Amino acid sequence: MLYWYVRSVLTDHSKLKRSDFWHFLPMIIFFISAFPNTFVPWRDKVEAAMMAVENQEYLMVYKASLLNRIIPTVAIYLFRLVLVLGYTIGAGVLFIKYLKKKQSYAVFSKQHFMKKWLCCLLGFLFILAVSQVFMVIKSFEMHFSELFFTFNILRVISVAGLIGLLISPFFFPTILYGLPRMPETNEQENDDSQIKERKQRYNSFESDYLKSISQKTDSFMQEHQLYLEPDCNLAYFSKQINIPTHHLAYYFREVKKQHFNDFRNEWRINHAKALIKEGKANEITLEAIGSLSGFSSRNTFITDFKKLEGESPGTYAARFY
C-alpha cells in the first residue's frame, strides 16, 4: 500500500495495474490464513490473550493462523515487519529516483511541501520498522524476558518513530488539502526547450483552473446569495458550488490570500450596507440588518463591520438618516 501510494503521488497513476497484484499478494496470504481465526469464539480469544500476558512464551505455541503449521513462529512475526520495511525502502528508492528526474516539477510544482511530507513519512516509518524488527528478534532471543521489556534504547527509538508519524501532519497541515493534479508527462522528452514549454503549459493549466474557481465563486455568491445562509462555511459552499473543498481551501489560501470567512463576510457587509443605504436602518434595528445579512449575532456583525469598514455600522448608518 505504501509503495503504491508513493508511486501514485509521484506519477499520478491512481489506478491499479495487473503488476500491482504482486505487491498485495503477501497481505492477501496473511488475510486468508488468519481468516478462520475470525470464527473462533470470543471467550477462547480472551483466554489466549490472558495466557499470552501471563506468559509471553505462549506466543511460540499458539497457532493464530494457518501459516503457523508451515512457517516458524519467529518468521511469521518478522515477516510482516520485514515486508513493511521492504516497501518503505522501495518507496524511498522510488522517491529518490524521481527527484533526480527533470519531470519531477510535474508533481511538485507549487506543492513543495509534498517533498518534505514524503521525507518525514518515509523517514519515521523506516525508524519505526527497523526498531520493531530488532525488538522482535531481541525478544525471541531473550525468550520474552521481563528484563527486555524494561526501558531500553530500542523502545525509545520505536516510540520516537511512532510519535513522529502521528504528529507530522501538524507540521505539514497542507497535506490534508491536496492539490489539483496536472496532466501526466512523457518521460521520453528530455530536450530542455520541450521541458520548458511543457512546464509553461502545466502552469497555464493550473492558472486556468484557479481562474475558473475565482470566477465561479464570485458569480455564485452574487447570483445565489449563499452568504445570507447562517451556516455558510467552506464545506457548505463547496457542496453548493460543486468544487472540492481542498481545492477551494488551496485557492483561498494560496491565490486569494484570504480566509473563506473573510471572503463571505465581505459579501455580508456589502449586503448590509446596501440595506442601510435603502433606508432600512430607519425601519428596523441594526441587529435585524445584521441578521438579514447572514450574521448569527449582533456582536459578530459589529466586529466584522468594523474590521472591514473601519467604523461601526451605527456610525455608517448615521450618514443616511
Side-chain angles (χ1 to χ4, degrees):
M1 286 294 292
L2 172 67
Y3 183 86
W4 174 71
Y5 168 75
V6 173
R7 193 199 68 175
S8 65
V9 169
L10 299 179
T11 62
D12 203 15
H13 291 159
S14 57
K15 296 182 179 180
L16 290 174
K17 294 182 178 180
R18 183 175 299 178
S19 58
D20 292 320
F21 171 78
W22 299 105
H23 297 161
F24 295 96
L25 183 59
M27 290 180 284
I28 295 174
I29 294 175
F30 269 103
F31 175 78
I32 294 176
S33 65
F35 186 72
N37 192 53
T38 306
F39 301 98
V40 174
W42 179 255
R43 182 179 58 185
D44 295 345
K45 293 180 180 179
V46 173
E47 183 180 351
M50 293 178 62
M51 293 183 66
V53 171
E54 295 175 358
N55 181 13
Q56 287 79 16
E57 292 189 7
Y58 177 72
L59 296 174
M60 296 291 294
V61 297
Y62 178 65
K63 307 298 182 182
S65 69
L66 299 178
L67 292 178
N68 289 94
R69 301 178 181 180
I70 56 177
I71 301 177
T73 303
V74 179
I76 291 178
Y77 279 97
L78 280 176
F79 185 76
R80 300 180 217 189
L81 295 173
V82 172
L83 185 65
V84 173
L85 179 59
Y87 277 116
T88 302
I89 296 175
V93 172
L94 179 66
F95 181 49
I96 294 174
K97 286 184 177 180
Y98 194 83
L99 288 178
K100 294 181 180 180
K101 295 182 180 179
K102 295 182 178 180
Q103 292 90 342
S104 62
Y105 63 78
V107 171
F108 294 123
S109 177
K110 294 188 178 180
Q111 46 181 331
H112 300 293
F113 65 91
M114 291 290 290
K115 295 180 181 179
K116 299 178 181 179
W117 164 254
L118 288 175
C119 285
C120 287
L121 174 69
L122 296 175
F124 283 122
L125 191 57
F126 178 79
I127 293 173
L128 180 61
V130 171
S131 61
Q132 287 291 314
V133 167
F134 281 106
M135 284 180 64
V136 171
I137 294 175
K138 200 68 176 176
S139 63
F140 277 94
E141 286 181 353
M142 299 182 66
H143 300 285
F144 303 97
S145 171
E146 293 183 2
L147 179 64
F148 173 74
F149 293 98
T150 58
F151 189 78
N152 59 66
I153 188 63
L154 283 177
R155 297 173 69 83
V156 173
I157 295 175
S158 180
V159 171
L162 179 60
I163 293 177
L165 284 175
L166 294 177
I167 69 174
S168 57
F170 292 99
F171 296 100
F172 301 96
T174 318
I175 194 69
L176 302 176
Y177 293 115
L179 286 175
R181 302 304 301 269
M182 290 183 266
E184 186 179 354
T185 62
N186 183 1
E187 297 185 359
Q188 294 180 351
E189 298 179 2
N190 294 319
D191 185 74
D192 291 340
S193 61
Q194 291 178 333
I195 293 176
K196 184 177 181 180
E197 180 182 353
R198 237 183 15 253
K199 185 175 182 179
Q200 293 175 348
R201 187 168 68 250
Y202 296 142
N203 290 337
S204 175
F205 168 81
E206 183 175 286
S207 299
D208 291 343
Y209 179 69
L210 295 174
K211 185 177 180 181
S212 68
I213 292 180
S214 176
Q215 295 172 347
K216 195 170 183 180
T217 52
D218 290 335
S219 62
F220 215 83
M221 273 293 196
Q222 183 175 4
E223 181 179 354
H224 299 278
Q225 295 185 322
L226 296 180
Y227 53 87
L228 298 181
E229 298 291 336
D231 58 348
C232 180
N233 53 27
L234 185 64
Y236 174 85
F237 187 64
S238 171
K239 183 177 180 180
Q240 299 298 320
I241 202 173
N242 197 27
I243 294 178
T245 304
H246 58 281
H247 291 192
L248 281 177
Y250 175 76
Y251 164 73
F252 282 107
R253 185 183 67 254
E254 301 294 338
V255 179
K256 202 168 181 62
K257 305 295 183 181
Q258 183 184 39
H259 196 278
F260 173 77
N261 290 345
D262 295 332
F263 168 76
R264 175 203 60 202
N265 289 340
E266 283 186 7
W267 285 91
R268 289 178 172 178
I269 297 299
N270 290 332
H271 184 82
K273 289 168 59 179
L275 292 178
I276 293 174
K277 290 179 181 179
E278 292 174 4
K280 293 294 183 181
N282 297 324
E283 303 173 4
I284 57 178
T285 64
L286 291 175
E287 182 178 357
I289 290 178
S291 179
L292 291 174
S293 302
F295 289 98
S296 58
S297 68
R298 178 177 180 274
N299 291 336
T300 304
F301 173 49
I302 294 175
T303 301
D304 290 333
F305 197 100
K306 285 183 178 180
K307 181 180 178 181
L308 184 63
E309 297 297 323
E311 58 182 354
S312 67
T315 303
Y316 180 84
R319 304 176 188 173
F320 302 94
Y321 286 152

